[in-house]
Amino acid sequence: LQWKPVSGLAKIISWAIFHKQYLPAYPAPYNVIAVKLQEGPVMISNLEGGHPKGSWINSDVHLVYTTMPDGVILPRFRLIAES
């Protein structure tokens, strides 16, 4: 195996809204998305910014990095239409 750069472009393939808080960094309600990267791998993450109208499935997104309150930097996604 070897590391290769990816474009950061993806499509949402699944999503859910959690209405219960499990971790301090994620107050309810919060979203969880599964995205398929343009290069093929699937990632689980969160959607930053606004939510798609209607179904989220097949919405185009791109990778962004978010610094959490504890200083940890996480990969997240944002709708391409918002860019």
Side-chain angles (χ1 to χ4, degrees):
L1 300 176
Q2 68 185 77
W3 289 97
K4 290 186 178 182
V6 295
S7 66
L9 299 175
K11 285 192 180 285
I12 296 175
I13 59 172
S14 184
W15 62 278
I17 303 290
F18 284 77
H19 295 279
K20 181 177 179 182
Q21 182 171 344
Y22 294 97
L23 299 170
Y26 293 89
Y30 64 95
N31 68 69
V32 176
I33 60 173
V35 300
K36 185 168 186 171
L37 297 174
Q38 192 174 47
E39 293 79 10
V42 173
M43 287 181 66
I44 306 299
S45 187
N46 304 96
L47 185 65
E48 294 275 316
H51 297 164
K53 303 283 187 234
S55 176
W56 296 22
I57 305 300
N58 287 322
S59 294
D60 292 315
V61 292
H62 67 93
L63 180 69
V64 295
Y65 291 99
T66 301
T67 303
M68 301 301 287
D70 62 2
V72 173
I73 299 172
L74 295 177
R76 297 228 172 145
F77 289 86
R78 185 175 294 274
L79 292 172
I80 287 179
E82 289 188 359
S83 299

